[in-house]
Amino acid sequence: MKRLAYIALGAVLALFGNYYLTSSTEPDLQRLYMQSMAVEDQPPVVFIHGILGSRLKDENTDEELWFGPIWNLLFDHHYDLVMDINPDSLQAEPGELKAFAIADNTAGKDYYGNVLRTLEEVGGYEKATPGQEIRPQSKYFYEFYYDWRLDNAINAAHLADFIDRIRLDHGDPDLKVDIIAHSMGGLIARYYIRYGRADVLDSNDFPENMYGGQRVRRVILLGTPSLGSVKILNAFIDGIQVGFRKINTEILVTMPSMFQLLPHPITDWIVTARGAPLNRDIFDIDTWRRFKWSIFDEDTRARILSRYDSAAEGEAYLETLEAYFGKTLERARRFVWSLTVPLPDEHPQLIVFGGDCALTPARILVEEVDGISEIRMYPDEITQPVMGVDYDALLLEPGDGAVTKSSLLGRNTLDPSVPRHEYIFFPLHHAFLLCEKHDSLTGNISFRDNLLNTLLSLE
């Protein structure tokens, strides 16, 4: 009897073993959504890329300067991206550069191609552009590309024009769209929902009008730093590595959008070597001066001066740059607060996707060395560790390598059992967490599966 039982058990195990061997390890999107291809009663979808996520060209020469040829991407410092600073208005001006396409893939890296193809080939959405004639009983998706260097309030106004044109094309004054927004694109979408075309960043009042909120059904935020990113602060200090070169800080600071990605004041973004939060204002120019960050770093100032024919010209530019820096910091302070003040109950659903498997910069640390305050961005940089302090846990938190899980979810703490801070309003509907890096989120198969399930759901 025992022999027969073992034989039967072996047959069962073999049966299930064969089942698992022949089963897919990934969802079959075509099979899952084959019936949805024919579903036509769906809002248009607007896809918004993140920072660095559109191609930029010179309007006069038609030369692509970002990303540009592969050798430029790998070996250039990208000074062509510098925005002109008007010395009178202290406004950053884009010059001759213009966004002309979303960066789908470059140098063998797929940035947005996967998700856009999924919408078209699996979801049954047809790619369209504003102003295009619309066929009844069809569903469409649109790519909103923009100059990611510009102030986010400016790009939110462009988004308002973009969506209003779509509503006009569809001949429906009550039409609502669905938005998919990656990274900084999510901040633009959230500003648009609250304020539409209005620029509310010249004061601390933030009068919401819900202009965009009346035109959007759902917002899908993918890897959006809702409470900012310490990785961006690190970039201001040390530049952004692209290929074999860096986009240096003197280039980045001419872009207002970069300032608007800095950590929210409510977060403990800077700590002592003992792990205690430091009371420092990241949006106060004196903080940057004291620590000699960015344009206040001696090597950076020397690089800036070396690009001018005369010392007088270089010093004049530095003077303008410092005044612009202070003004842009204050505007960025208002921007981050403008997204966390309370809103009316009627608000589009915010659905969040993002990574939580990669250790991500969450704080920087001030270490006193021979009476001098030194900034440490990573645990291995600390030279005089305090016994009992876990510097890995202190400086790095789970995220996607650029955005921490807590920032993704609009929380000032990683602990989900702790209530969100009373001054942070973040109407999260629900969230999906993935094991993926920031620049690969859009290609993640689980994201694309749940994205279609979310878009095509009536609930």
Side-chain angles (χ1 to χ4, degrees), residues 339-357:
L339 297 185
T340 57
V341 295
L343 285 181
D345 292 337
E346 290 296 322
H347 189 283
Q349 295 180 5
L350 296 187
I351 300 164
V352 167
F353 289 81
D356 67 350
C357 291

Side-chain angles (χ1 to χ4, degrees), residues 90 253 255-256 259 323-333:
L90 299 179
V253 299
M255 307 173 186
F259 292 80
Y324 156 83
F325 196 98
K327 180 179 179 179
T328 309
L329 272 177
E330 182 57 36
R331 188 170 170 84
R333 179 205 305 277

Side-chain angles (χ1 to χ4, degrees), residues 41-48 119 125 139-144 159 162-163 166 175-181 189 192-193 212 215-221 348-349 351 451-459:
D41 186 20
Q42 287 291 325
V45 170
V46 176
F47 182 83
I48 309 175
L119 288 174
Y125 290 87
K139 57 181 186 279
Y140 295 90
F141 78 95
Y142 297 79
E143 299 174 4
F144 176 68
L159 178 61
F162 190 89
I163 292 176
I166 293 172
L175 180 73
K176 291 190 175 185
V177 303
D178 287 339
I179 289 178
I180 308 168
Y192 162 70
I193 286 170
R215 290 159 171 78
V216 176
R217 180 183 70 157
R218 291 173 179 157
V219 182
I220 294 169
L221 303 175
Q349 295 180 5
I351 300 164
L451 170 68
L452 289 176
N453 190 67
T454 300
L455 290 175
L456 298 170
S457 172
L458 295 178
E459 300 176 356

Side-chain angles (χ1 to χ4, degrees), residues 27-39 114-125 139 445 448-449 452-453 456:
D28 184 341
L29 299 187
Q30 294 287 350
R31 188 177 183 87
L32 281 167
Y33 300 103
M34 59 190 299
Q35 294 173 319
S36 302
M37 288 284 288
V39 174
N114 260 325
V115 65
L116 298 175
R117 285 191 297 272
T118 297
L119 288 174
E120 192 166 13
E121 298 171 7
V122 183
Y125 290 87
K139 57 181 186 279
I445 186 68
R448 290 183 285 138
D449 181 8
L452 289 176
N453 190 67
L456 298 170

